[in-house]
Structure formats: C-alpha cells, structure tokens
Amino acid sequence: MSSTDSGYSATDIITYIGVPLAVLGVLPILYNTVATLAALSKIKRMLRHGRLTALTRSDVVNRVIEVELPRYAVTPCDRFAETELYWRPSRQPSSIPGGSWTTFNWQSRAIGAKTQRVEYADQLRQPQVDVAFDELVAYMLDLGAVPEAHGWKLLRSTGLWTPTGCSLMKSPDGYHDALTIAPLDDSDGHLSLKANWSPDWTTRDFSSLPPYWIRLPPSPRPEPEPAEAPESVELAEGASTSPEDPKMEAEEGKAKEKEESSLRKESLDSVQKQADKNSKATITCQISVDGLISAMSQEDGALFSSTNLQGLYIEHLRARSGKSDGMWFASVATAFGTTSQTILWNYKVPDEILNFARRDTVPCGVLVLFGIVDESQTPEWSTTYDANEEARELFFKRSAEQRAAVMAEAQMAPPQREAAARERMQREMRERMQDMRDQSRLNNQRREARTSEALQSPKWDAKLVAEHNLRWLRQKKERPAAVGVNVDASLALREVVGMLLHRMVLDGQFASSICRMLDLWKAWAENGGMRRSDLEALREQYEMFALASLLVALVRDTATAHEGTLSLDLQECLRMWKIVRLG
C-alpha cells in the first residue's frame, strides 16, 4: 500500500516525524550548553569571592570546563613588620575545597599551575600550598592554638596512614579543631593538612614571646659604694679654685687640649653608655635549627615589638665549623628555654653534648683539693697520714739521743766535754736541717700522691658538682663579679644560667673563655679522665669552671625527657615532614 493510498505523502511524514526527531537530537546539545554556562558562571563567582586569579575554558558540546589555578608556596607574614596581617585572619577566606589555607594572611610565591577538568562547580578544588611545617606550627602556637597530644603521637607512629580528620591542633578552649589531617588527593606524597581559625580564638598578641625565642635576664647590679661626703668635696673644689693655687695656670693651658679631644670622648662615652644600657636590659634570642640567628635588647617593661628592640652583635655565637661556641650557646639556651610548660623547641641538642652532660666526669677529690668540698662529704679516696704522731716520734727520738749525749759528756773531762758539746750541737744542727729536708720531701711526695689519688677518685656528675660550685660562688661573690656575673644567694641555678647566657651575648671574650673551658672538660671526659694538665688549667681558672658546671648541669636536667612526651612527638614530626601541603 503506497503513501498516496493511505492519504500521507512523503513530505507529511518528514514534517510530522523527522522534524520532531531532529529537535530532540539538538536538545542535549542545548542542555549541555546551558548547564556548562551555568556551571562556568558559578565557578567564576566562586573564584571572585575567593579573590583567586584563574584561566577558565569551556567545551559546551562535551560539557567540560577547564580551570587553571596557580599553585603557591607560602610563609607566615613578618611578625614585626606586618603586625596587622600576622594577627588577623583573612577577611574573605576561600570557600572552595582545598582553600583552607586562605584562612590566614601569607607571604606567597607562585611555584606553578594546576589544570582541572570539571563538569560541575562542586568538583572544583583549589590547589594546596607548600608551607614549612615548623613555620606553620610555630605560627599557630603563636596565635594561641593548643597541640593535641594524641594526634601528634599518632602522626609520629603512622605517618601518611594517619586517619583523615585526626586533630593536631585545637582552639584555645579545646572544643574546635584548628589543624587536622586532610585527604591525600592533591598532596603528591606530602603530608596533607587542613586549617581552621576564628578571630575569637586568638589569645596572644605582639607583646607575647613567640616560639623559638627566649628571654635572658640581666645580672643584678651590685650595691653602689657610699659616696664621698659633700663637705670634703666642697673643700677639694675650694682648694682647686683658689686664686693662689699655682696649678691654675697649668689647668688653663690644658683646656684647649681637652676641647680638642672632647669629640672623641663623646663618641667613646656614647658607646660605653650603650654598652651599659644593654647590660641592664633583657635580651631576647631567636634559636633556629642551626643555632642562634638573632639577639635583641629589650628594656624592662617595654613591649615586644620592633620599635622597642635593638639588634645585638652575635657573630661570635653563630654556629661555625671548627668552632664550638655556637653549639654550646644554642644547647644551653635550648635547655634554659625548656620548662614543664614548653611545647616546642626548634634546636636539637647534639647527642655528643647530651651524652657528655649525663656522664660522671669530675673526680670528687679534685673539688677537695680546691677547697670546694670538705673531704667528709666525699667517698673515701685518699690515704690518711698522722703527721702529728710522726713528729712526736721524731721528737722523742731526738730528745733521747740528746739526753744520752749529755750524759756521756758529763763523764768526760772539761776539755773533752767542751769539744763533745760543740760536736753535739753541730750534729744536732745538721740533723735538724736534714729532718726539715726529709719532711719537705715527704710532704711533696704525699702531695703528689694525694693529687694522683684525687685524679683517680670517684667521679661525680655535673649536677652534684654544680650544686657545690653554686654554693661556693655564693660565698665568693667577689670572684664571679670580676667576669660580670653577680651570683646572689637568692638566685636559683636556672636564673644564674640565664644571666651567664646574657653575659655571653654581650661579651665575646667571656663567651670564648667559658666555651674553651667546656671544650676542655668535654675532652678529658672523652679521653679517659682528667690529667694533671687539666688539673692545672682548672687551678688557674676555677671560677670559669664553676660557671661552666652550671651550664652543663642545666643541660643534664633537661636531657632526662622521657620518650612519648608531646614535645618529643611534635619535634620528631617536624623533622620527618619538612614541607607539607595545606589546603
């Protein structure tokens, strides 16, 4: 049956069936176009809200949108130069997944770009940023975040297998997560983290001491000597200004010379005044992984800001190869800054110093020889001699010989008696001289033997030695005052160490002397014990050794941290993950 017979022509069939089918075939393309343009508009709106610069391209036929976003490496803003940005979170953080790092203000640097092909706006991901892990943690601690002990312990033990969402840092109230483990989708093998912060959580400000910094207190000033009586001063002035004084003309002749040298004296006086000012001011030091990197003087009561800080010369305490001064200072400063409330420290005390501080290295007999410790306070180590009994026996012997000689002389004739008496007196004189020489030689032998026994006596650890030296320094206050440290009876060991570090920053010669003593001490501890040359060196500079023992004792006290503590877990994690991805 043909189409003519059925009443429909071919044109009718094309019109009523072909055209609708063609329209249905175009509808998906139209839908993809509309959906793609809508998604692209939403993506651009999200990018504008997050203040992100990106290149966007769309394929309306395949319903694909390409977004090219830059990848950054960031570091926290400068605490002193960019105070407002440092303490205030970002006003418009990005809401795109992976952009939690925009919660804070950063110093950023573009390191590449990432291209994404998405179909919906919800699939867009903001590239994570590279940030130094220690800087990130220090920044959040400075804002007031509190480390989560369980999270750091889990991260240290499981690494990249740490569950997503595990909290590492909490808000100050402990109810919200500030830093958590993020998915590894965009981490490229790095540790992936997510940040969260609210302005209400910031509990610290620019006046607070940041992490990795310590404050060194100045030494207390000695009491001034009583001034001269005003009457005597007036009399002296009157005598010098008398017109009859013959020295007046000579003084007037020297006035010109004084005026010429006044400029030089003023410059020297200004340097001396600045040095005196620094010696009375608190010093703040920044310790990095490599040691001391900056030191600044801060007047008492002044806020911790760039306007109230003045940089100090620290080249003599920087870490250098072949010189241990920087290593000793950084180790002791780390020990000084480590307390029961300490959460984080950047510098790791070398194992060789920790092992040295833990060992028993000082023979107790040496302290007895120097009069620091009474021999009754030490274990038995020396041979005892009864010098009085020996002198008594010699006296009895000489007296008996004299009586026998006198009795023999009494039985002689007068001429023979006189000759015998003269011979006896000469013999007694020779015997007395010989006894004195024998006694001196015996004393020297016993002194040498006692020194040898002292070097071989039982060894004490640095803490016990420091306790006795600290008591000795308190009794001999005039001795350490010569090196610029006044040890008062009310000061504890940690406070004295802080003043010693303060002095080391300001006085390079003092720092070099005490570090040489520490090197000497460490050398004999590693080479089989103290020798006579070491003993003589201590005899010449025992005050310096006493001060050095305080430093080693403080390192020993802080070296007894137990495994599994929060500080160690956090420190180990920072060493394992130098750079992390934040997003």
Side-chain angles (χ1 to χ4, degrees):
M1 184 175 178
S2 65
S3 58
T4 304
D5 298 335
S6 62
Y8 297 100
S9 64
T11 302
D12 295 335
I13 295 175
I14 295 174
T15 301
Y16 295 110
I17 298 177
V19 172
L21 290 177
V23 173
L24 290 175
V26 175
L27 283 179
I29 298 176
L30 296 176
Y31 174 77
N32 287 344
T33 300
V34 174
T36 302
L37 293 176
L40 180 61
S41 176
K42 186 176 181 181
I43 288 175
K44 288 183 177 180
R45 189 165 55 251
M46 294 169 62
L47 295 174
R48 284 194 304 270
H49 180 270
R51 295 184 178 181
L52 301 176
T53 57
L55 297 177
T56 57
R57 294 179 292 270
S58 60
D59 184 354
V60 296
V61 176
N62 298 318
R63 199 176 176 183
V64 174
I65 303 174
E66 287 189 357
V67 182
E68 183 177 327
L69 285 166
R71 184 186 292 277
Y72 296 100
V74 299
T75 186
C77 295
D78 188 272
R79 195 180 195 268
F80 301 109
E82 301 171 299
T83 304
E84 186 176 358
L85 295 177
Y86 184 89
W87 296 104
R88 185 194 66 194
S90 177
R91 293 181 178 178
Q92 288 185 331
S94 174
S95 59
I96 303 174
S100 66
W101 61 274
T102 60
T103 302
F104 305 107
N105 298 298
W106 304 92
Q107 293 179 352
S108 58
R109 176 172 56 89
I111 58 174
K114 180 183 178 182
T115 302
Q116 302 177 59
R117 297 171 63 88
V118 299
E119 185 176 352
Y120 302 101
D122 297 339
Q123 296 176 336
L124 181 63
R125 296 291 182 268
Q126 187 170 344
Q128 293 180 313
V129 294
D130 292 349
V131 60
F133 200 10
D134 59 340
E135 293 182 357
L136 173 63
V137 173
Y139 179 43
M140 300 196 71
L141 286 174
D142 203 10
L143 293 178
V146 179
E148 176 66 30
H150 175 71
W152 288 105
K153 184 176 182 180
L154 193 62
L155 177 62
R156 180 184 180 185
S157 59
T158 59
L160 292 177
W161 285 267
T162 306
T164 301
C166 178
S167 177
L168 300 179
M169 307 283 284
K170 291 280 191 180
S171 60
D173 57 12
Y175 294 111
H176 304 87
D177 294 335
L179 186 65
T180 57
I181 301 295
L184 300 175
D185 300 339
D186 188 33
S187 63
D188 297 332
H190 293 80
L191 180 64
S192 182
L193 302 175
K194 180 181 179 181
N196 179 36
W197 196 258
S198 171
D200 299 334
W201 297 351
T202 303
T203 57
R204 292 162 54 89
D205 55 23
F206 60 88
S207 62
S208 305
L209 191 69
Y212 309 135
W213 287 72
I214 59 171
R215 279 194 176 101
L216 304 179
S219 177
R221 310 304 297 177
E223 297 181 359
E225 297 181 359
E228 188 180 358
E231 292 80 1
S232 61
V233 175
E234 292 178 359
L235 290 175
E237 291 177 354
S240 62
T241 57
S242 175
E244 299 178 357
D245 192 351
K247 296 182 179 180
M248 284 295 296
E249 296 181 359
E251 291 180 355
E252 291 177 357
K254 295 180 180 179
K256 294 182 179 181
E257 297 180 0
K258 292 182 179 180
E259 291 177 359
E260 293 176 357
S261 61
S262 61
L263 295 177
R264 183 176 59 183
K265 288 184 178 180
E266 288 179 1
S267 62
L268 293 176
D269 290 344
S270 62
V271 173
Q272 183 62 35
K273 289 179 181 178
Q274 185 61 43
D276 294 340
K277 184 178 180 181
N278 291 336
S279 65
K280 300 176 184 178
T282 301
I283 294 179
T284 55
C285 298
Q286 184 181 11
I287 310 296
S288 70
V289 177
D290 300 322
L292 179 67
I293 59 175
S294 66
M296 301 181 181
S297 63
Q298 178 184 3
E299 295 183 4
D300 294 340
L303 297 177
F304 189 78
S305 63
S306 57
T307 57
N308 298 322
L309 297 176
Q310 181 178 2
L312 299 175
Y313 179 82
I314 59 169
E315 292 302 321
H316 59 288
L317 294 177
R318 288 191 183 274
R320 298 177 181 174
S321 59
K323 197 171 183 180
S324 61
D325 294 16
M327 178 182 65
W328 283 115
F329 182 86
S331 300
V332 178
T334 299
F336 176 75
T338 302
T339 62
S340 58
Q341 290 80 27
T342 301
I343 298 173
L344 173 64
W345 258 110
N346 207 8
Y347 182 81
K348 183 181 185 301
V349 180
D351 293 336
E352 55 178 325
I353 292 183
L354 292 178
N355 296 333
F356 160 68
R358 293 190 185 105
R359 294 174 58 188
D360 301 339
T361 55
V362 180
C364 62
V366 172
L367 301 181
V368 176
L369 294 183
F370 292 153
I372 309 301
V373 180
D374 189 80
E375 191 167 356
S376 61
Q377 299 176 278
T378 65
E380 185 177 353
W381 58 272
S382 62
T383 304
T384 56
Y385 303 96
D386 193 349
N388 294 330
E389 182 64 25
E390 294 176 354
R392 190 182 304 110
E393 291 179 358
L394 181 61
F395 174 75
F396 289 156
K397 179 182 178 181
R398 298 304 183 198
S399 298
E401 292 176 353
Q402 185 181 26
R403 285 195 300 270
V406 170
M407 292 177 62
E409 292 172 2
Q411 299 174 359
M412 297 179 182
Q416 295 177 346
R417 186 184 306 122
E418 293 178 0
R422 286 194 300 270
E423 182 181 355
R424 175 177 56 81
M425 294 177 63
Q426 293 176 358
R427 185 177 65 252
E428 290 177 353
M429 180 63 69
R430 290 193 299 270
E431 289 176 349
R432 282 196 294 270
M433 296 298 295
Q434 185 63 36
D435 290 343
M436 291 176 61
R437 287 192 291 269
D438 292 343
Q439 186 63 37
S440 177
R441 183 169 57 254
L442 181 61
N443 290 339
N444 290 335
Q445 291 175 354
R446 289 179 176 177
R447 191 180 301 109
E448 292 296 321
R450 183 174 174 81
T451 301
S452 299
E453 291 174 344
L455 293 174
Q456 300 300 323
S457 61
K459 294 180 176 60
W460 282 356
D461 61 13
K463 183 178 182 181
L464 185 56
V465 173
E467 291 176 357
H468 291 289
N469 282 334
L470 184 58
R471 183 175 64 252
W472 179 76
L473 289 171
R474 288 168 177 167
Q475 297 172 353
K476 304 288 185 181
K477 291 177 63 176
E478 67 278 3
R479 293 179 178 267
V483 292
V485 179
N486 185 23
V487 181
D488 192 81
S490 61
L491 297 177
L493 184 143
R494 180 179 293 274
E495 296 172 327
V496 177
V497 170
M499 294 187 300
L500 291 177
L501 294 173
H502 186 282
R503 183 66 179 176
M504 290 175 69
V505 174
L506 297 178
D507 191 343
Q509 184 177 0
F510 172 73
S512 179
S513 299
I514 199 169
C515 290
R516 280 199 304 268
M517 182 58 68
L518 290 169
D519 290 335
L520 176 67
W521 187 356
K522 183 171 174 289
W524 89 57
E526 295 175 349
N527 296 329
M530 184 185 295
R531 297 184 293 270
R532 287 184 178 270
S533 59
D534 304 323
L535 181 65
E536 294 303 321
L538 260 64
R539 193 186 304 276
E540 295 176 359
Q541 289 186 320
Y542 190 81
E543 294 86 354
M544 197 62 66
F545 173 75
L547 297 176
S549 66
L550 306 182
L551 306 184
V552 179
L554 187 63
V555 175
R556 181 188 180 278
D557 288 342
T558 56
T560 56
H562 301 289
E563 284 291 330
T565 60
L566 171 60
S567 296
L568 288 180
D569 290 337
L570 198 151
Q571 208 171 48
E572 287 299 320
C573 291
L574 295 185
R575 291 195 187 95
M576 287 190 295
W577 311 104
K578 299 294 184 182
I579 302 295
V580 296
R581 291 282 175 85
L582 180 63

